[in-house]
Amino acid sequence: MKFVVFCLFVITNICDDGKASVDNFAPTNDANVLTEFTKNSDSCHRPCKFNVKPQRCYYTFDVEPNLDDGTTLAINGLTPGPTIHACVHDIIVVQVRNKIPDQDLAIHWHGVEQRGTPYMDGVSMITQCPISYGSTFKYAFKASTSGTFFYHADSVAHQSDGVYGALIIDQPRHLEPHSSIYDFDKSEDHTLVIGARFPELLSASLEDLTKIAPRSLIINKEESDTKLFVTQTSGYRIRLVNAIALECPVLVSIGDHLVTVIASDGKPVQPVTTGVVRLYPGERMDVAVRADQPSAGYWLQVKGEEACDGLKARSMFLYSGFNYTSMLEDIPNEMTYDKNSIVCGQQLLSSKDVTSKSVVKSVYLGIEKNNIAVKDNELDFRYLSDVVPKKPFFPTALSLKEAVVQINGRNFLYPNAPLLLKPHDVFRDIVCNVGEESKHKDVQCMQVLTADVNGALELILVNEGFHSNDSYTFHMHGFSMHVVASWQSPAGLPLSREEFEKLDKDGLIVRNLQNPPIKDTISVPNKGFTIVRFNPGHGGNWMLECRSCSLTLPAAIVISVPISLPKAVVNSLPSCGSYKPADVLLN
């Protein structure tokens, strides 16, 4: 009977070309259907060929405390977790088992657009119910586009504790736009995932997490022992991933070598050659480097900035035949660079011109770190109910007396029921429309921006900087964005909405509508702005979030694009039972 239901679901999701679309692949409880994949996931790491039948790539992740290191969480005993390899159009199936005592979990696939599978995006109480301790959740989605991606826990604390790993989606070599620049793409050895280690488990700490600073940087799982082997005169593609959840940009360079940036966030760019690149949290960058120096060993160095200022990591860039033992006692010289030569992803140009729609809906998002005026007797730690008189609710996090980052003067509140799956169960009084947040009396509300399918959006993110000198990194779920403008006040002056609108009206803000970089992770400079455009071409509820801002109260919005999910799909997914997020229980 279940197999019949699945067949009916496929029939009701017919593509325009009259064939069942893999984009509409849905999970099912029918073991016969869901387990028709390759049992050995290693076989999915293969040379990708044209016109070859896609495979189903199966992985099992057990997420649990690392018994060998009490300060990390591990996936199958590894921190970072196993690298997922697939070819474009493969189906990736990952069964996640939560073995973290008394904690809930979800896994986000950073950069994967989830076309047709919005319920696989991995955001607790937005696209799914959280995976409770001892439970499993089976993610299944199509590898729809090639590029360098990664996965991580939806929780910033869990990600910081080590729940993350690389996700590489390849395509046939002749389809790679810059394959002529390099000779080898050894993603199994030349993918560098940059993380941070902390002195304790953030997810188990009762302390103020904003006070716990990272103690070191790591490349893959090492501070200094990762090795990249190369052959003289050959060119190599190296994939860089900044998997740090905090506001920790990193600088990367290879001693005596230049690198050519060929992709940012999985999207090809016009090649730019430099000595140093900067990656913001969640950003990925593919570079090509030619082994054109004397045969020896060189240090690839990573230097942290902002929250990771002063922290460093390094790996060995080794020519074939060189005995690297002499480097073990060698401390590399301090990374030297010209600040004006640093290449950042959102300053690049797309490798192809883009088409921009003439009618665009512009939305202003004012970002500011605010001190919330609240007295101790106004903080309410009780579980509230309908019989308790309503009054403005101040979250307990405000008892820390710390300023919080807000969007349009509010913090995000996660709903009481999964917004995508059970929209009618969500309490309506917690919802506030983006641009109308001032109508909501509480500090937190579920900020929703409603968009039309293929209705072009322009998001104007202004980091006003009246109360802070911090820059912030934002990640868009579900879509890639065209970064059409970015600017920071050269005089270091705050930027109000009125001042921005005057600059825009006077024609002083120039938008690149021809070949802007296409990204899912962007930086918004302090006392400046970043403007992005995109067409929401597929339905779902998609987060735009500042992950590094969310150690106290979340700074995010949900972009809601109309979608109607078949009842069979919703029913096949795990239910939340009596689960409610803590802030909802207290609100």
Side-chain angles (χ1 to χ4, degrees), residues 253-394:
S253 68
I254 303 176
D256 296 339
H257 290 75
L258 295 176
V259 299
T260 300
V261 182
I262 59 175
S264 179
D265 288 357
K267 303 297 183 183
V269 297
Q270 295 181 23
V272 174
T273 300
T274 183
V276 184
V277 297
R278 175 183 284 125
L279 284 83
Y280 289 91
E283 214 176 1
R284 293 90 61 211
M285 190 176 286
D286 294 23
V287 300
V289 57
R290 188 157 296 277
D292 55 5
Q293 298 299 308
S295 181
Y298 300 86
W299 287 110
L300 182 151
Q301 296 190 66
V302 175
K303 180 180 179 181
E305 297 181 315
E306 298 188 30
C308 293
D309 187 37
L311 301 181
K312 302 173 185 176
R314 61 184 188 267
S315 78
M316 298 179 182
F317 189 79
L318 301 170
Y319 282 61
S320 178
F322 178 76
N323 187 347
Y324 62 83
T325 55
S326 61
M327 298 179 66
L328 297 178
E329 301 297 327
D330 178 28
I331 299 177
N333 296 327
E334 181 73 18
M335 182 192 298
T336 59
Y337 54 90
D338 177 2
K339 290 184 178 180
N340 295 323
S341 68
I342 299 173
V343 171
C344 303
Q346 65 193 53
Q347 298 171 342
L348 300 167
L349 300 176
S350 173
S351 62
K352 293 183 179 180
D353 289 352
V354 301
T355 301
S356 180
K357 292 191 175 183
S358 57
V359 179
V360 179
K361 176 183 177 181
S362 291
V363 178
Y364 183 92
L365 301 175
I367 305 158
E368 183 60 284
K369 179 177 280 189
N370 294 316
N371 281 292
I372 310 300
V374 55
K375 300 176 182 178
D376 287 341
N377 60 3
E378 292 178 321
L379 295 167
D380 201 329
F381 298 86
R382 297 174 298 162
Y383 286 83
L384 306 183
S385 69
D386 290 338
V387 300
V388 177
K390 297 293 183 182
K391 63 178 182 177
F393 176 76
F394 295 98

Side-chain angles (χ1 to χ4, degrees), residues 166-305:
L167 195 169
I168 309 300
I169 301 175
D170 289 317
Q171 64 180 345
R173 176 69 183 258
H174 71 275
L175 296 178
E176 287 290 342
H178 300 311
S179 59
S180 62
I181 298 178
Y182 56 90
D183 304 301
F184 300 103
D185 180 5
K186 299 181 177 181
S187 58
E188 67 277 20
D189 300 317
H190 290 175
T191 297
L192 303 182
V193 183
I194 301 164
R197 284 276 172 85
F198 291 80
E200 59 182 287
L201 278 176
L202 297 191
S203 56
S205 176
L206 298 178
E207 303 297 324
D208 177 5
L209 298 185
T210 61
K211 305 299 184 183
I212 305 176
R215 71 166 190 253
S216 63
L217 295 180
I218 58 173
I219 302 174
N220 295 342
K221 61 180 180 178
E222 308 289 349
E223 289 186 44
S224 60
D225 292 339
T226 302
K227 302 174 182 66
L228 288 79
F229 294 97
V230 298
T231 302
Q232 197 166 30
T233 73
S234 295
Y236 295 86
R237 178 176 183 167
I238 298 177
R239 301 170 186 262
L240 305 172
V241 179
N242 184 342
I244 306 173
L246 302 184
E247 196 60 46
C248 288
V250 295
L251 300 176
V252 183
S253 68
I254 303 176
D256 296 339
H257 290 75
L258 295 176
V259 299
T260 300
V261 182
I262 59 175
S264 179
D265 288 357
K267 303 297 183 183
V269 297
Q270 295 181 23
V272 174
T273 300
T274 183
V276 184
V277 297
R278 175 183 284 125
L279 284 83
Y280 289 91
E283 214 176 1
R284 293 90 61 211
M285 190 176 286
D286 294 23
V287 300
V289 57
R290 188 157 296 277
D292 55 5
Q293 298 299 308
S295 181
Y298 300 86
W299 287 110
L300 182 151
Q301 296 190 66
V302 175
K303 180 180 179 181
E305 297 181 315

Side-chain angles (χ1 to χ4, degrees), residues 114-166:
Q114 300 293 355
R115 293 176 179 268
T117 51
Y119 37 83
M120 294 297 169
D121 192 44
V123 184
S124 292
M125 304 310 290
I126 300 296
T127 65
Q128 69 170 86
C129 299
I131 311 169
S132 59
Y133 171 58
S135 299
T136 62
F137 189 100
K138 189 170 287 186
Y139 294 93
F141 53 90
K142 182 181 178 182
S144 57
T145 56
S146 64
T148 302
F149 309 96
F150 79 116
Y151 61 86
H152 57 76
D154 177 49
S155 160
V156 170
H158 286 150
Q159 180 183 347
S160 298
D161 288 341
V163 185
Y164 61 86

Side-chain angles (χ1 to χ4, degrees), residues 13-213:
N13 288 274
I14 298 298
C15 288
D16 293 336
D17 62 1
K19 297 180 180 179
S21 170
V22 185
D23 284 350
N24 294 317
F25 175 86
T28 174
N29 292 326
D30 184 14
N32 293 327
V33 174
L34 195 54
T35 55
E36 288 179 1
F37 40 65
T38 305
K39 290 293 184 181
N40 183 0
S41 61
D42 289 339
S43 68
C44 282
H45 187 199
R46 64 199 190 278
C48 300
K49 299 179 180 180
F50 182 71
N51 204 26
V52 173
K53 183 179 179 181
Q55 296 189 19
R56 295 191 181 185
C57 310
Y58 181 72
Y59 295 83
T60 298
F61 284 1
D62 285 348
V63 185
E64 57 191 333
N66 189 341
L67 298 181
D68 296 328
D69 181 354
T71 64
T72 61
L73 299 175
I75 303 175
N76 299 346
L78 301 174
T79 301
T83 298
I84 294 177
H85 287 96
C87 289
V88 68
H89 304 313
D90 284 348
I91 298 296
I92 297 173
V93 181
V94 185
Q95 181 167 288
V96 177
R97 181 183 294 111
N98 179 9
K99 300 174 75 173
I100 309 172
D102 301 321
Q103 296 194 27
D104 301 300
L105 180 70
I107 302 294
H108 172 58
W109 315 94
H110 195 107
V112 178
E113 295 187 351
Q114 300 293 355
R115 293 176 179 268
T117 51
Y119 37 83
M120 294 297 169
D121 192 44
V123 184
S124 292
M125 304 310 290
I126 300 296
T127 65
Q128 69 170 86
C129 299
I131 311 169
S132 59
Y133 171 58
S135 299
T136 62
F137 189 100
K138 189 170 287 186
Y139 294 93
F141 53 90
K142 182 181 178 182
S144 57
T145 56
S146 64
T148 302
F149 309 96
F150 79 116
Y151 61 86
H152 57 76
D154 177 49
S155 160
V156 170
H158 286 150
Q159 180 183 347
S160 298
D161 288 341
V163 185
Y164 61 86
L167 195 169
I168 309 300
I169 301 175
D170 289 317
Q171 64 180 345
R173 176 69 183 258
H174 71 275
L175 296 178
E176 287 290 342
H178 300 311
S179 59
S180 62
I181 298 178
Y182 56 90
D183 304 301
F184 300 103
D185 180 5
K186 299 181 177 181
S187 58
E188 67 277 20
D189 300 317
H190 290 175
T191 297
L192 303 182
V193 183
I194 301 164
R197 284 276 172 85
F198 291 80
E200 59 182 287
L201 278 176
L202 297 191
S203 56
S205 176
L206 298 178
E207 303 297 324
D208 177 5
L209 298 185
T210 61
K211 305 299 184 183
I212 305 176

Side-chain angles (χ1 to χ4, degrees), residues 208 210 366-374 379 393-412 442-445 447 463-468 470 472 474 546 548-556:
D208 177 5
T210 61
I367 305 158
E368 183 60 284
K369 179 177 280 189
N370 294 316
N371 281 292
I372 310 300
V374 55
L379 295 167
F393 176 76
F394 295 98
T396 56
L398 297 180
S399 64
L400 301 174
K401 306 298 184 184
E402 297 286 344
V404 293
V405 180
Q406 297 185 313
I407 299 175
N408 291 349
R410 293 293 182 273
N411 288 101
F412 188 78
D442 292 338
V443 172
Q444 285 183 282
C445 60
Q447 294 163 276
N463 186 349
E464 297 172 346
F466 286 94
H467 308 128
S468 166
D470 298 331
Y472 303 112
F474 281 77
C546 176
S548 60
C549 304
S550 62
L551 289 177
T552 51
L553 296 178

Side-chain angles (χ1 to χ4, degrees), residues 426-501:
V426 174
F427 297 149
R428 302 317 302 170
D429 60 351
I430 71 171
V431 178
C432 59
N433 295 322
V434 170
E436 300 178 355
E437 289 92 346
S438 60
K439 297 179 180 179
H440 201 277
K441 61 183 180 180
D442 292 338
V443 172
Q444 285 183 282
C445 60
M446 189 175 70
Q447 294 163 276
V448 177
L449 174 59
T450 302
D452 297 326
V453 176
N454 289 320
L457 279 179
E458 178 180 85
L459 303 183
I460 301 169
L461 292 88
V462 179
N463 186 349
E464 297 172 346
F466 286 94
H467 308 128
S468 166
N469 292 316
D470 298 331
S471 296
Y472 303 112
T473 302
F474 281 77
H475 171 56
M476 172 70 80
H477 293 231
F479 303 106
S480 294
M481 307 170 287
H482 298 163
V483 185
V484 299
S486 189
W487 177 87
Q488 185 174 27
S489 169
L493 299 177
L495 182 64
S496 67
R497 178 170 185 169
E498 292 73 22
E499 290 169 325
F500 171 84
E501 290 175 344

